[in-house]
Amino acid sequence: MTGARTGYAGTTGEGRRTEARTALAAVAAVSGAGMASGREQVLFFAQLGWAGWIGILLAAALYAALLGAICGQARRLGADNLPGLYWKRLGPAAGAVAAAMHAILMMMIAVMMLCSAARIGALTLPFRHGALWGAVLALSIALLVNLNGLRALPWMGLLAAALGAAFYLGLAVDPRPVRIWLRGETALALRGNLPAAVALAALYAALNAAVAGGAVARLSGGGAKPVRAAMLSGALLCALLLCANAAILRGGDRLLGQAMPTVILAARWGKAGFWLCAGFSFFCASATLSAALGSLPRTAVRRRLRTARGNDC
C-alpha cells in the first residue's frame, strides 16, 4: 500500500500545488474559447432560462470527470501530452488518428483566437494595421509561454479566473438597464427545456475538456491526485459560468440576440467598460492560444523553437 501511494508525490503540499496548477491551467485554456465573449454563455446556457442553471452544474461536473480521466490516464501511462496519451492508450494506428483529430481541433482553436485578437487589435490600437499587430502580439505571448514550458499558464489561469469573476459579477450587480441594441427581439425556443440543457451541457463540457486536456496532461505530473485536480477544475469553471450567466441574464431576453453580449453590458460603464471588455477578451484569447499551441504534438516547429532558445543562451 505504501508503494502505491508514493505515485502521488507522497505528500499533500507538493500534490496540492500541482493540482492547483493543473486546474488553473485548465481555466486558462478554456477562457478564450468558453467564456470571454458571452456568446458561448448564451448558446449553451442563458437561452435555456432557468434550465441553464442546471446545465451549468451538469457541464461543470462532466468537465471535471473528463479532466480527471485525462489526468489519471496521463499519470498511469506516463504521457506528458495528449497525443502521446492517445498513442499509448489506443495503439499506434488509432492513436495516430486521434492525435491528428486533436491537432486539427487545436489548430482551429488557435486560428479562432488569432482572429479574436486581430479584431480587438483593430478596435483598440491607434495605428495602421491594428488587426495584424493584435494577432502578432497574441502569438508572441503564446510562443513565450510555450518556450517556458507552459509554466506561466497556471498564472494566466489565475488571472483569467480573478478577472472573469470580477468582470462578470460587476456586470451582474449593475442595476442600470441595457440601452444599446443592434438586433430585435429574440424568441427563446429552448427556455426550460431540460433535455436540451443536458445535451448542451454535455457538448460544452466535452469541447472544453478537449481544449484543456493537452495542458492538463502536460502539467498534472509531480503529485496531483486526479480526483482532487478534477474537482478543483470543475469548481472553478462552475463559479465562472455562474457569474457569467447571472451577468448575461441581467440584460434580458433581447441581449441574447446580440453578437457580443459582454460589449453591450459593459457599455453601461462607458469608455472604462470598453477597455475592460477588450483587455479581458484579449488576455483570454492569448491564454487559450498558448494552451492550444502547447497541446500540439512535438513537431519540428517546437524543436526549432527550443533550438533557437538554446542558441540565444
Side-chain angles (χ1 to χ4, degrees):
M1 295 296 294
T2 303
R5 294 177 62 87
T6 56
Y8 291 111
T11 92
T12 58
E14 179 61 28
R16 287 176 181 172
R17 285 192 293 272
T18 305
E19 291 149 13
R21 288 195 297 268
T22 300
L24 290 172
V27 170
V30 304
S31 60
M35 67 183 72
S37 72
R39 284 305 303 166
E40 308 88 354
Q41 193 73 31
V42 171
L43 174 61
F44 290 100
F45 306 112
Q47 67 163 324
L48 299 166
W50 62 267
W53 299 104
I54 298 175
I56 288 174
L57 299 178
L58 291 174
L62 181 56
Y63 170 82
L66 291 172
L67 289 191
I70 292 172
C71 181
Q73 288 293 316
R75 288 183 54 83
R76 188 173 69 85
L77 299 174
D80 64 350
N81 59 82
L82 208 54
L85 189 153
Y86 292 142
W87 188 278
K88 293 182 178 181
R89 187 71 177 85
L90 302 175
V97 173
M101 293 176 63
H102 185 261
I104 292 172
L105 174 63
M106 292 299 98
M107 287 187 287
M108 292 174 60
I109 293 293
V111 171
M112 290 171 56
M113 295 303 101
L114 284 173
C115 291
S116 177
R119 286 195 297 268
I120 296 169
L123 290 172
T124 59
L125 297 178
F127 41 80
R128 294 181 61 186
H129 308 300
L132 176 61
W133 284 108
V136 169
L137 179 58
L139 183 59
S140 299
I141 293 172
L143 290 177
L144 287 174
V145 172
N146 277 271
L147 284 173
N148 198 35
L150 294 185
R151 292 184 182 89
L153 194 62
W155 293 104
M156 297 180 78
L158 178 61
L159 189 56
L163 291 175
F167 180 62
Y168 282 118
L169 279 176
L171 294 176
V173 301
D174 190 339
R176 291 174 293 180
V178 177
R179 300 186 182 277
I180 300 176
W181 304 112
L182 304 177
R183 297 179 182 176
E185 296 290 344
T186 301
L188 302 181
L190 296 180
R191 186 192 295 274
N193 191 322
L194 279 177
V198 173
L200 288 172
L203 180 59
Y204 182 88
L207 288 173
N208 283 276
V211 174
V216 168
R218 289 194 62 185
L219 297 174
S220 60
K225 290 186 177 180
V227 173
R228 194 176 293 168
M231 291 177 63
L232 183 55
S233 299
L236 284 173
L237 181 68
C238 185
L240 288 171
L241 290 179
L242 290 173
C243 293
N245 203 49
I248 297 298
L249 292 179
R250 168 68 74 178
D253 290 351
R254 291 183 67 187
L255 181 67
L256 305 185
Q258 311 307 311
M260 294 291 288
T262 53
V263 175
I264 303 298
L265 288 170
R268 294 174 293 173
W269 300 344
K271 290 184 179 180
F274 168 78
W275 287 106
L276 284 171
C277 190
F280 175 66
S281 298
F282 182 84
F283 178 80
C284 290
S286 300
T288 297
L289 178 60
S290 301
L293 294 182
S295 299
L296 292 173
R298 302 192 190 286
T299 61
V301 173
R302 291 174 64 184
R303 287 196 296 270
R304 289 176 184 175
L305 287 174
R306 287 196 186 120
T307 303
R309 184 178 61 174
N311 292 336
D312 290 341
C313 295

